[in-house]
């Protein structure tokens, strides 16, 4: 695996723009939230100092209310739409106005444990705590224990079929003209449709119109979904934040985190679908569970939420998916009629999700299935390079190439 490790390190170095790593050249020319946090797990394997810088630079974008935005626009670039002018937020450096899956606390804990850098961890701990408080206050104002995404981009799984029905309620009538750049960089068949983009940008226009004010956004949002992946990742992140709080926090902060964890544990239960054998998102405006089986619905394994019986049921479900595709874990159940093996989050395999699922499976004693997922992920990387995502039927490269978080997963997991 030495060759793969060197190649993965070279991808991170090439995408390093000075303390932050772009996901890939041209397609994503700025710093993305969960990309960066996960990429730090790659950096820490060969340059711990650089790993810490990644998190510090991400937090340069943090808002006064605690929100960590999904993009920090450290520089100008015409390669990406929508750029800072469309977002129209008031932060310096310029940022987007929405957030992304909160993997940061989990990464912070791992960096701290691996480097033993108490000073850095102590400085970043309150910043991450502030972000978790933002999720609770801004996205679960009634305190039910599930946080909502208000834009599909906040899920990180932009065009998942799980958002089809809630997104259909969002008007496809943006005021901002759509000038897509992504389809100039990668095959349009691997990206969301124009129709989806019109709705994505309508939401940006709407929220910009209320000044990106959290309570006003909550009131006007035509899309409000308790995404199973975001909620599972947050539940895991709160557990890791609690460990950090034991070293760096006050008693009141530990009590506050423990209280949120309790609420989240009970609320996540509502997302379990026993017939489907996994968890599913909840449409908070329609009031119904969204009956779509995605890889996001397996992330409660990573969050250590299910009991052993449920976890075993989920493992068997993953194996069942594996009878239909050559490479695990497709982002959509492959027998779903909407399964599209090349289109972004409607079928392809993602290395970051594979690692989370495999770590969860290991926790539950499903070592053989976890090893199969890890080996298949490494095989995809050998065969198709560090692609953004992969076709689960033939292992073909999809999306951007020389992709940072895929290379990072080779370094911290698949090639070890
Ligand atoms: C994109 O532009 O494709 C991103 O997923 C939005 O964050």
């Amino acid at each position: 695996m030495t060759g793969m490790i060197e190649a993965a390190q070279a991808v991170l170095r090439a995408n390093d723009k000075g303390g932050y790593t772009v996901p890939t050249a041209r397609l994503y020319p700025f710093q993305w939230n969960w990309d960066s946090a996960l990429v730090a797990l790659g950096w820490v394997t060969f340059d711990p100092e650089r790993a810490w810088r990644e998190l510090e630079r991400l937090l340069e974008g943090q808002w006064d209310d605690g929100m960590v935005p999904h993009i920090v626009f450290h520089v100008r670039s015409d390669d990406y739409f929508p750029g800072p002018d469309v977002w129209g937020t008031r932060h310096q450096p310029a940022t987007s106005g929405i957030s992304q899956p909160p993997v940061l606390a989990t990464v912070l804990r791992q960096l701290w444990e691996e480097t033993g850098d108490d000073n850095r961890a102590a400085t970043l701990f309150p910043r991450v705590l502030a972000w978790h408080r933002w999720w609770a206050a801004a996205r679960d104002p009634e305190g039910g224990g599930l946080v909502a995404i208000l834009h599909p981009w906040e899920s990180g799984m932009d065009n998942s079929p799980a958002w089809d029905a809630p997104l259909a309620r969002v008007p496809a009538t943006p005021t901002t003209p759509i000038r897509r750049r992504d389809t100039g960089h990668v095959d349009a068949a691997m990206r969301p449709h124009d129709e989806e983009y019109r709705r994505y940008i309508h939401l940006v226009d709407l929220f910009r119109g209320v000044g990106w004010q959290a309570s006003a956004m909550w009131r006007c949002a035509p899309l409000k979904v308790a995404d199973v992946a975001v909620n599972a990742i947050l539940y895991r992140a709160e557990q890791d934040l609690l460990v950090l709080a034991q070293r760096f926090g006050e008693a009141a902060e530990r009590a506050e985190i423990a209280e949120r964890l309790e609420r989240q544990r009970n609320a996540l239960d509502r997302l379990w679908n026993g017939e489907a054998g996994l968890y599913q998102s909840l449409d908070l405006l329609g009031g119904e569970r969204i009956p779509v089986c995605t890889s996001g619905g397996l992330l409660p394994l990573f969050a250590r939420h299910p009991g052993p019986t449920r976890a075993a049921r989920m493992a068997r479900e993953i194996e069942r998916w594996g009878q239909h595709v050559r490479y695990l874990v497709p982002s959509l159940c492959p027998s779903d009629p909407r399964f599209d093996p090349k289109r972004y989050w409607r079928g392809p395999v993602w290395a970051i999700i594979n690692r989370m699922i495999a770590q969860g499976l290991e926790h539950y004693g499903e070592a053989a299935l976890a090893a199969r997922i890890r080996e298949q992920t490494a095989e995809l990387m050998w065969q198709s390079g560090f692609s953004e995502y992969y076709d689960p039927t033939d292992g073909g490269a999809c999306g951007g190439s020389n992709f940072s978080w895929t290379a990072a997963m080779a370094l911290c997991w698949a090639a070890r």
Side-chain angles (χ1 to χ4, degrees), residues 128-179:
V128 182
L129 174 62
W131 189 25
H132 285 208
R133 284 177 175 157
W134 173 84
W135 276 108
R139 298 314 182 78
D140 180 21
E142 281 147 34
L146 293 171
V147 297
I149 56 163
L150 305 185
H151 194 300
W153 286 341
E154 291 197 305
S155 72
M157 304 182 183
D158 309 359
N159 68 341
S160 168
W163 317 147
D164 288 358
L167 192 63
R169 279 190 233 114
V170 175
T173 49
T175 51
T176 300
I178 310 269
R179 293 162 56 240

Side-chain angles (χ1 to χ4, degrees), residues 127-416:
R127 311 282 299 272
V128 182
L129 174 62
W131 189 25
H132 285 208
R133 284 177 175 157
W134 173 84
W135 276 108
R139 298 314 182 78
D140 180 21
E142 281 147 34
L146 293 171
V147 297
I149 56 163
L150 305 185
H151 194 300
W153 286 341
E154 291 197 305
S155 72
M157 304 182 183
D158 309 359
N159 68 341
S160 168
W163 317 147
D164 288 358
L167 192 63
R169 279 190 233 114
V170 175
T173 49
T175 51
T176 300
I178 310 269
R179 293 162 56 240
R180 288 186 71 171
R181 294 284 194 267
D182 56 324
T183 43
H185 305 309
V186 305
D187 185 348
M190 298 175 178
R191 295 286 305 174
H193 292 286
D194 284 347
E195 167 87 10
E196 284 157 334
Y197 258 79
R198 283 194 285 277
R199 298 180 202 275
Y200 297 159
I201 300 303
H202 175 92
L203 288 171
V204 173
D205 289 340
L206 184 69
F207 298 145
R208 189 185 58 244
V210 298
W212 299 106
Q213 219 275 324
S215 53
M217 286 170 69
W218 182 261
R219 279 193 301 275
C220 74
L223 179 142
K224 230 179 245 181
V225 172
D227 169 19
V228 59
V230 163
N231 279 281
I233 285 170
L234 182 60
Y235 182 64
R236 169 66 193 261
E238 295 276 27
Q239 294 170 57
D240 293 316
L241 194 68
L242 187 55
V243 171
L244 291 163
Q246 269 140 21
R247 176 73 180 77
F248 303 109
E250 311 277 332
E253 291 165 341
R254 291 192 285 279
E256 166 200 329
I257 298 165
E259 200 182 301
R260 280 201 301 270
L261 271 167
E262 174 73 13
R263 263 203 310 273
Q264 289 163 0
R265 190 179 59 246
N266 294 331
L268 268 171
D269 246 1
R270 293 169 58 203
L271 305 187
W272 171 250
N273 181 337
E275 261 166 60
L278 45 58
Y279 293 66
Q280 291 173 328
S281 299
L282 192 66
D283 182 348
L284 294 173
L285 292 179
E288 279 155 20
R289 216 171 35 217
I290 300 172
V292 181
C293 299
T294 67
S295 57
L298 300 165
L299 291 181
L301 289 168
F302 171 69
R304 303 176 180 174
H305 182 267
T309 311
R310 268 189 204 175
R313 172 75 182 89
M314 293 167 84
R316 304 295 79 77
E317 189 58 17
I318 296 170
E319 285 169 352
R320 201 181 65 76
W321 291 15
Q323 292 163 5
H324 297 267
V325 289
R326 196 153 137 215
Y327 296 96
L328 287 170
V329 178
S331 41
L332 180 68
C333 168
S335 51
D336 187 307
R338 288 160 291 197
F339 178 72
D340 184 343
K342 293 194 194 308
R343 200 179 285 279
Y344 212 34
W345 290 95
R346 301 181 79 86
V349 176
W350 294 74
I352 50 143
I353 301 297
N354 276 9
R355 174 176 165 275
M356 291 190 222
I357 292 172
Q359 280 191 333
L361 288 168
E362 260 167 29
H363 171 78
Y364 288 99
E366 297 281 351
L369 183 54
R372 178 172 156 200
I373 292 172
R374 190 179 64 77
E375 282 154 21
Q376 290 190 349
T377 310
E379 198 182 316
L380 288 167
M381 292 171 179
W382 276 119
Q383 183 186 313
S384 300
F386 301 115
S387 288
E388 185 177 3
Y389 41 100
Y390 302 91
D391 182 330
T393 63
D394 63 8
C398 296
S401 54
N402 297 321
F403 216 84
S404 298
W405 72 8
T406 309
M409 293 304 102
L411 292 169
C412 70
W413 173 61
R416 298 183 85 77

